[in-house]
Amino acid sequence: MTRDVAAVREGTPYREIVDILASRQVSAVPVIDDFDHVLGVVSEADLLRKIETEGRPETRRVFESRRRRAARVKAGARVARDLMSTPAVTTMAHTLIPAAARLMDAEQVKRLPVINDLGRLVGIVTRSDLLKVHLRPDADIRHDVVEGVLHRVMAVRDGTVRVETHDGIVTLTGELDLCSATRTAVRLAQAVPGVVAVEDRLSFQYDDTALAHLTQGGA
């Protein structure tokens, strides 16, 4: 995430918001209160409402949809309070990258203000930030899989599993004691930042998953 966040207050004028977006080369800014709590987000799309309606007489329909009413209000807005989209979709600083990506997709947003346990703004993460993780060098990815997954988490002896990484694709080759262990190794490797896919070439000595299915079936 980006920690040096350009943010505005509820009373920040339209023109000042435009200046901030242009000078900081960002497409949106969070709107915060005096305690740095995120109230909403003002994006380029919100600001463009004024330009889209420029020169047109204001018209109101008897049965006006919520979306149209919001667009009309933003077109006449002068400060962030009336321009922002609210409530803001936020994420926590400890949220995993895949979870943040799923949240962006589900909410159809391009960025997520990041808050701490007190609900205060500490950063912002964008789609491009999430994509940058796949620029990690293969050597760094391999190190995390070997040291972080196999050695530290699973306590697999050195040399038991061979790990190869190319263009973010991790290949695991070797033999473990249990079938469940091979599945765990693949699942944890997939969660390592920068991993595009995992090629599972692991074998096992004992299929403990089959015993689990039999136990469940006999219960």
Side-chain angles (χ1 to χ4, degrees):
M1 69 175 177
T2 300
R3 294 185 180 275
D4 181 19
V5 188
V8 299
R9 305 289 181 177
E10 289 183 272
T12 303
Y14 178 99
R15 177 58 187 272
E16 186 175 336
I17 299 173
V18 174
D19 288 342
I20 291 173
L21 294 186
S23 62
R24 295 293 295 269
Q25 296 185 333
V26 294
S27 61
V29 286
V31 182
I32 58 176
D33 63 15
D34 293 337
F35 300 97
D36 290 341
H37 295 148
V38 181
L39 304 174
V41 174
V42 176
S43 68
E44 290 174 333
D46 296 321
L47 297 171
L48 284 171
R49 296 296 185 189
K50 186 178 293 295
I51 298 174
E52 291 170 357
T53 59
E54 195 171 284
R56 297 181 182 179
E58 182 180 4
T59 58
R60 298 189 182 185
R61 298 180 180 180
V62 177
F63 300 104
E64 191 173 48
S65 68
R66 180 181 300 179
R67 182 176 180 180
R68 181 178 175 82
R69 182 168 60 254
R72 179 170 53 78
V73 170
K74 289 181 181 182
R78 298 182 179 182
V79 295
R81 180 188 304 106
D82 301 320
L83 285 162
M84 66 182 180
S85 297
T86 186
V89 181
T90 62
T91 189
M92 302 293 289
H94 53 69
T95 300
L96 297 178
I97 290 174
R102 288 193 293 270
L103 180 59
M104 277 190 188
D105 182 62
E107 297 293 337
Q108 296 184 335
V109 294
K110 297 179 180 180
R111 82 281 302 167
L112 295 171
V114 181
I115 59 177
N116 61 17
D117 293 337
L118 297 177
R120 293 175 176 171
L121 180 70
V122 294
I124 194 166
V125 61
T126 65
R127 289 177 176 177
S128 61
D129 291 328
L130 297 182
L131 291 174
K132 285 177 184 177
V133 72
H134 289 297
L135 297 178
R136 292 190 71 202
D138 286 331
D140 291 351
I141 296 173
R142 183 182 182 281
H143 177 271
D144 286 355
V145 173
V146 173
E147 298 299 329
V149 174
L150 297 177
H151 291 174
R152 189 175 307 128
V153 177
M154 300 188 64
V156 174
R157 295 188 304 276
D158 192 24
T160 304
V161 175
R162 186 170 73 254
V163 179
E164 298 176 339
T165 310
H166 181 68
D167 289 340
I169 300 176
V170 176
T171 302
L172 303 178
T173 308
E175 184 180 73
L176 297 176
D177 294 336
L178 304 176
C179 176
S180 60
T182 65
R183 296 181 181 180
T184 298
V186 171
R187 176 173 54 81
L188 294 178
Q190 288 173 333
V192 170
V195 172
V196 175
V198 176
E199 292 284 343
D200 180 9
R201 299 181 184 175
L202 296 171
S203 59
F204 51 88
Q205 296 180 4
Y206 179 70
D207 188 358
D208 55 330
T209 62
L211 178 60
H213 288 316
L214 289 175
T215 302
Q216 292 174 1

